[in-house]
Amino acid sequence: MLRICLAFVLLLPGLTHAAEHLAGRVHVIDADTWNVGGVRVRLHGIDAPELDQACQDSDGSSWPCGAWATHMVREQFQGRMTTCVPVDRDRYGRIVARCSVEREDVAARIVEQGLAFAYRKYSDAYAGAEQVARIEYRGLHKTQIQVPWVHRARKKPKSSETCLIKGNVSSKGERIFHEPGQRYYAKTRISAAKGEQWFCSAAEARAAGWRAARR
């Protein structure tokens, strides 16, 4: 068993040399997706609003709750050291893990503050934390919000008719976006099965964790 765990870790760049965990400084991509020591990590058992997702206040006005949740998580964890225990790997190739900062379960704190929801499809671990946040109207629970998994399901896929920037996954697993006029733009093909996608702006692509092509 030790050999299997060690092999799993050594296959991932930027991981601490430990058999059952990875560790590194946090770079917050969004509220539930982090870069930990150069490795993309999806926090296990929670689901936060998408970066472009909006909510409605009681008076019906719209506000960018997805960007807000990301900002609040970034304020608390950006640059701090975290230790994560891998649980799975998702369809986009990200490590799904339970992470802690100073021995505190970060997912529990995020849900307790109303910055994300318990993702019961995969785990009931944070259902209690969500219930507390809901009762006390913390964060997202004091606004009108479509839960993230429903929001994603209802979003219309972007197409080349309106969004021209191509988000491509390279053979090395790098997420790179190509803009019209760049050298490899015409040759780049988008495959949704590989997690590739269209973007409407370079800022949107960067916010989602993609870097610009060098030429």
Side-chain angles (χ1 to χ4, degrees), residues 110-122:
I110 290 169
V111 174
E112 286 172 355
Q113 293 178 346
L115 304 176
F117 299 88
Y119 206 177
R120 292 175 176 82
K121 178 179 178 180
Y122 298 103

Side-chain angles (χ1 to χ4, degrees), residues 97-160:
R98 296 186 181 93
C99 298
S100 61
V101 170
E102 295 182 358
R103 299 186 179 182
E104 179 183 15
D105 185 333
V106 297
R109 187 201 288 190
I110 290 169
V111 174
E112 286 172 355
Q113 293 178 346
L115 304 176
F117 299 88
Y119 206 177
R120 292 175 176 82
K121 178 179 178 180
Y122 298 103
S123 174
D124 289 326
Y126 305 108
E130 181 184 304
Q131 183 66 14
V132 171
R134 190 181 300 277
I135 291 172
E136 298 187 5
Y137 295 98
R138 296 177 184 171
L140 299 169
H141 298 289
K142 59 185 177 184
T143 188
Q144 297 179 51
I145 181 174
Q146 190 174 67
V147 289
W149 51 92
V150 172
H151 173 77
R152 289 192 297 270
R154 292 183 177 178
K155 281 179 65 177
K156 292 182 179 180
K158 295 172 183 175
S159 72
S160 58

Side-chain angles (χ1 to χ4, degrees), residues 49-70 72 114-115 138-145:
E50 300 295 303
L51 267 172
D52 63 349
Q53 192 168 342
C55 296
Q56 284 190 328
D57 282 331
S58 56
D59 62 1
S61 59
S62 179
W63 64 287
C65 58
W68 172 80
T70 295
M72 295 299 290
L115 304 176
R138 296 177 184 171
L140 299 169
H141 298 289
K142 59 185 177 184
T143 188
Q144 297 179 51
I145 181 174

